[in-house]
Amino acid sequence: MKQQRIDAGPAGPVPWYDPRVRSLFFQAIAIALVFWGGWVLVDNTLSNMESRGISTGFGFLNKTAGFGIIMNLVPYDATMSYGRTFWVGLTNTLLVSAMGVVTATILGFIIGVARLSSNWLVARMALVYIEVIRNIPLLLQIFFWYFAVLRNLPSPRQSLDVGGILFLNNRGLYLPGPMPQEGFGIVWGGILLAIAAVVGIRIRARKRQLATGQIFPAFRVGLAILVFVPVVSFLVAGRPLEWDLPVLRGFNFGGGITIIPELAALWIALSLYTASFIAEIVRSGILSVSKGQTEASRALGLPNGLTLRLVVIPQAMRVIIPPLTSQYLNLVKNSSLATAIGYPDLVAVFMGTTLNQTGQAVEVVAITMAVYLTISLLISLFMNIYNRAVAIKER
Amino acid sequence: MTEPTMKAPRKAVRPVKWMRENLFSGWFNTVLTLGVAYLLVTSVGPLLNWFFLDANFVGSDPSACTGAGACWVFINQRLNFFIYGFYPDELQWRVNVMFLLLAVAFVPQFIERFPGRKWLGIFGIFGLPVVGYFLIPGGSFGLEAVESSKWGGLMLTLVLAYIGIIASLPIGILLALGRRSEMPIIRGISVVFIEVWRAVPLITVLFMASVMLPLFLPEGVNIEKLARALIGITLWQSAYMAEVVRGGLQAIPRGQYEAASALGLGYWRRMGLVILPQALKMVIPGIVNTFIALFKDTTLVLIIGLLDVLGTVQSTVSDPTWQNVATEGYVFVAFCFWVFCFGISRYSQKLERKLDTGHKT
C-alpha cells in the first residue's frame, strides 16, 4: 500500500499565479509607464522650448505687463507686473461666479417650486423655461445677451434714464456709487450690533423652544431689529452717506459704479442657464420627501409654514445640496467662457493676454489649472463636511 | 337580438371645474394666473410678428429684408456655409452620405420594435467612425482629399461630438475599472487623472491642447488644430465618462462579482463577460446625458479658432453686408441645438424608465 505524502506543505501557487505578486507586478508596470510618459513629455517640452527660445521659470511674473484691462477690482494699471494681472483675473472670475451663484440659486429655487405649483399655467411655464434654456449651449446664450441685446442698446447720449440716477446704454449700466462720509463707522457699528442681537435671539429662542415648547417669533423680531437698528444709527450719525451720481461727460458717463456689458451678459447668461439646472434639482429634492412626512407633521398639529420649514426643507436639502454644489462648481468653470466676449476673467487675462505676451505656456497653463483645481477641491471639501453633518444618523 | 346598449355617460370634462381647481384656487393662484397670462398675451403677439408675420423668407440679398421682423433670407443664403463650412460644394455628397448613415443608425433607436435596430446601433458605434474616417477627409479609394481646415459648420460640430464620445468611452471604462481596482497605485493614478480633468474648465483644456500639445511632441511632429482639439476633448470627456461608468459598476450587486469569481473567471473575463455588460446597460441614460453636455460644449472650439456651427454664424453676423442679423443667426443655432438635445434627452428619459427594472433599492 502506497501512502500518499501529505506533509509536503500546502502547494502554494506558482509565483506568477499568486495574486499578490501579480498585483505588485502590474503596479510596478503602471508606475514605470507613468514615469516614462512623464519623462518623455518633459524632455520633449524642454528641447522644444529651447529650440524656440522660450524662457522657463516663474520670473516673468515680476515683469511689467504693459497692457490695460477694462475692469479691475484690485488696483491695476499697465505699468504693473504680470503677477498682478493674475490677481485681477482671479478676482474678476470670483466676482462673476459669486454674483452668478446668488442669482442662479434664487431663480432656480423659484422656478423649481413653480414647477411643482398646483397652478397649471405656472407649472407649465416653469417646464417650458427649463426645457428651452438647458438645451441651448451656454456660449450661444452669452453671445445672444452680449451681441444681440446689450450691444444693441442706445449709445450713451441716448441712454435709457431712470430718474436721472440710473443709466443704461451700450457701454454698460451706470449706478450711483455710495460714498461713506465721516461718521459712517457708527452705522457699521449699528449693523454689527443688529446682527449680534439677531444671532443671540435665535439661540435663546431655540433654547426656550427646546425647554418649554413655546415658539418665539424669532424671524419677524430679527427682521425688525435688522432694519430698525441700522436705520436709527444712520439717522443718529447725521446721514453720513453721499451718492456719487453718474454724469454724461463728452461721449461717456463718468462717476458712480459701472457694470460693463461684458460682465452683465455673462452674469445674466450664467444665472439663467444654471438656474434651469438648479430648478430640476430643487424639484427632485422636494419630491424626494415622502408624503408621509408632511402628513405626520400635520398630524402633530404644525401649521403649513412650519411643516415646510421644519420638516420638508431640511430633508429636501439633504438631497439638494450635493448636486447643487456641483452646479456651483460648473458655474465657476463656465465663467471661463468670459474669454469669448472679452470679460477679463482669469482665463481671458492670464491664459489669454499674459500667455500670448510672455509665451510661457507651461507655467501659465499650470497656474491656471491649479487655481481651478484648488477651487474645485475646496468646494468638494466643504460638501463632504456638510454631507457628514446632515447625513441620516442611524442608530 | 342584442339590446341597444346604452352609451356610457359622457365623461365629466368640465372646463370650468378644471380651471377652478388648477388655475383659480384661492386669491394667490388667481393673481398668479392672471399675471402669467397677461405676460404671455403681451409677449406672444410681438414674438409671432417677429418670427413669422413681419419676417422675410424669400430673396437672395439683404435688400429683400424689408419687414420689421426677422430676416430669414440671411439664414437661407448662408445655410450651405452653416452646415458644411468651407467643404467644397462638389464633394458635399460625402458629408450628406454620413448624415444619412447617422440617421439610419440612430433614428430607429427611437422606434420600438424596429427590425434590427440593435444591429443598426452597433453599426453606428463601431462601423460609422470607420466609414467616416475614410469618407470625410478623403485621400484614399480615389476620393479627393479635403483638409480639416476646410471643415466647418454643423458637420464639424457633429464630428467633434461624435468622435469625442466614441473615443472617450473605452478610456472612460478603463479609468472607471482603474478607480475600482484593488491595486492602490492603479487606483491612485485613475483618481488623480479623473479629478484633475473634471476640475478644469473645457476652455483651459482646449487652450492647453492648442498651445501646449505642440510642445509635448517630439520635434518635427506636427498635428493639425482639429486633431489637437479632439485630443483635448477626448481626454476631458473620458474623465466624465469614467464617473458615469463607475456609477454603473457600483450599482452591480456584490453577488455578481463573487459569482463570476466562483466560476473561475479571470479579471478581464469577469469584467468583460459578467460585470460590464450589466453595468453599461444600466448607465446608457447617463452616457446619453454626457453626450448632450458634450454636444453643447463643442461650441467652445470657436474660441481656439475652429468654425463649428456657432462659429460659422458668429463669423457671418459680423459681415457688414448683412445689417443686424445676429438675433436671426443665434435663433437658428439655438434651434439646431435645441432639436438635437431635447430629442436626445427625451430618448434618454424613456430609456431610463424602460431600463428601470426595479433593481434599485
Side-chain angles (χ1 to χ4, degrees), chain B residues 221-241:
Chain B
V221 180
N222 225 338
I223 50 175
E224 26 192 341
K225 204 195 265 176
L226 177 64
R228 278 183 272 165
L230 271 173
I231 292 174
I233 288 178
T234 305
L235 289 177
W236 183 77
Q237 185 65 22
S238 59
Y240 283 85
M241 198 58 96

Side-chain angles (χ1 to χ4, degrees), chain B residues 4-23:
Chain B
T5 44
M6 240 160 81
K7 263 190 181 168
R10 233 181 62 211
K11 211 173 172 200
V13 185
R14 291 201 201 117
V16 177
K17 181 167 174 267
W18 181 87
M19 279 168 80
R20 191 172 293 159
E21 276 172 4
N22 292 298
L23 295 177

Side-chain angles (χ1 to χ4, degrees), chain B residues 19-236:
Chain B
M19 279 168 80
R20 191 172 293 159
E21 276 172 4
N22 292 298
L23 295 177
F24 300 106
S25 56
W27 65 267
F28 182 66
N29 264 340
T30 309
V31 171
L32 264 184
T33 306
L34 292 179
V36 173
Y38 174 77
L39 282 181
L40 266 184
V41 169
T42 48
S43 61
V44 162
L47 278 180
L48 272 182
N49 278 341
W50 188 84
F51 269 96
F52 303 110
L53 302 178
D54 292 343
N56 295 93
F57 293 92
V58 282
S60 54
D61 53 61
S63 62
C65 288
T66 48
C71 178
W72 298 122
V73 180
F74 165 67
I75 303 292
N76 241 335
Q77 287 300 309
R78 307 308 310 264
L79 194 61
N80 195 50
F81 182 51
F82 295 161
I83 293 181
Y84 305 102
F86 294 110
Y87 210 86
D89 281 348
E90 68 279 5
L91 300 176
Q92 280 170 6
W93 63 269
R94 279 154 45 178
V95 182
N96 290 336
V97 167
M98 281 307 288
F99 281 147
L100 189 73
L101 286 177
L102 256 183
V104 166
F106 289 108
V107 171
Q109 308 301 323
F110 290 82
I111 305 160
E112 218 139 323
R113 272 201 279 276
F114 190 92
R117 75 174 184 153
K118 192 173 152 196
W119 295 108
L120 284 175
I122 290 176
F123 167 74
I125 291 174
F126 296 106
L128 213 50
V130 179
V131 178
Y133 179 76
F134 288 109
L135 203 54
I136 296 205
S140 47
F141 297 114
L143 293 169
E144 199 184 318
V146 182
E147 296 159 39
S148 68
S149 57
K150 288 186 176 165
W151 307 4
L154 191 60
M155 166 210 151
L156 185 70
T157 300
L158 286 173
V159 166
L160 286 168
Y162 197 69
I163 298 186
I165 210 84
I166 298 281
S168 65
L169 191 58
I171 306 178
I173 291 176
L174 284 182
L175 283 172
L177 290 176
R179 194 167 183 169
R180 299 263 298 158
S181 162
E182 280 161 11
M183 305 178 208
I185 288 171
I186 305 244
R187 193 166 61 228
I189 294 172
S190 308
V191 169
V192 169
F193 185 93
I194 292 172
E195 293 305 330
V196 167
W197 285 110
R198 263 159 43 95
V200 294
L202 180 55
I203 288 198
T204 57
V205 175
L206 288 173
F207 264 122
M208 194 182 103
S210 71
V211 184
M212 271 169 79
L213 210 56
L215 291 179
F216 285 157
L217 294 171
E219 254 170 294
V221 180
N222 225 338
I223 50 175
E224 26 192 341
K225 204 195 265 176
L226 177 64
R228 278 183 272 165
L230 271 173
I231 292 174
I233 288 178
T234 305
L235 289 177
W236 183 77

Side-chain angles (χ1 to χ4, degrees), chain A residues 303-322:
Chain A
N304 254 341
L306 281 183
T307 302
L308 208 61
R309 231 180 66 212
L310 299 177
V311 178
V312 176
I313 289 181
Q315 297 188 65
M317 281 321 247
R318 198 176 283 150
V319 180
I320 290 175
I321 293 286

Side-chain angles (χ1 to χ4, degrees), chain A residues 27 44 48 119-120 134 333, chain B residues 33 198 215-217 296:
Chain A
Q27 297 189 62
N44 279 337
N48 274 322
N119 188 318
W120 182 84
R134 71 171 183 176
K333 286 191 283 177
Chain B
T33 306
R198 263 159 43 95
L215 291 179
F216 285 157
L217 294 171
K296 287 187 292 177

